[in-house]
Amino acid sequence: MTVINNKQQQMIDFETSWYTLGGGSSREITEQFGLTDRDFFAQVDQLVDEAPPIGLSNSELLRMRQVIRRRLWMAR
C-alpha cells in the first residue's frame, strides 16, 4: 500500500471532484497547487495508479484516468 502525503491527497480529492467535468480549470490548479496542468496531471496520474481514490467504482476510476490522460495530452 502506498502512503501519500497531505498535498497529494488534496490533489487526488481535487481531481476526484472535477473529473466528471473534464478536470479542474488551469487557473484553479495553478492557484491551489502552484503547478502547470502538465505537472499536476502527471503527478495525479501516478498517484491514481499507486493509490486509487477510495469510493470510486471501476467505471468511475476508468473515466477519471481517461480525463487525466486527455488533459496530459492537451498540455503537451
Side-chain angles (χ1 to χ4, degrees):
M1 181 174 172
T2 301
V3 177
I4 59 175
N5 66 38
N6 188 47
K7 181 180 179 182
Q8 292 169 324
Q9 185 61 55
Q10 289 174 359
M11 292 169 70
I12 289 175
D13 292 345
F14 178 88
E15 190 54 25
T16 299
S17 67
W18 279 101
Y19 82 91
T20 58
L21 301 171
S25 75
S26 297
R27 182 182 56 79
E28 287 189 58
I29 289 168
T30 301
E31 287 176 2
Q32 288 192 30
F33 303 104
L35 299 170
T36 64
D37 279 11
R38 182 182 177 93
D39 291 340
F40 174 83
F41 285 104
Q43 288 183 41
V44 170
D45 188 37
Q46 183 177 359
L47 289 168
V48 168
D49 284 343
E50 294 174 0
I54 298 170
L56 292 183
S57 68
N58 287 340
S59 63
E60 290 169 324
L61 190 55
L62 176 62
R63 175 70 179 126
M64 185 177 183
R65 284 185 168 126
Q66 290 171 337
V67 169
I68 292 166
R69 292 187 178 134
R70 182 174 46 93
R71 291 290 297 266
L72 274 170
W73 178 82
M74 290 170 54
R76 292 191 293 171

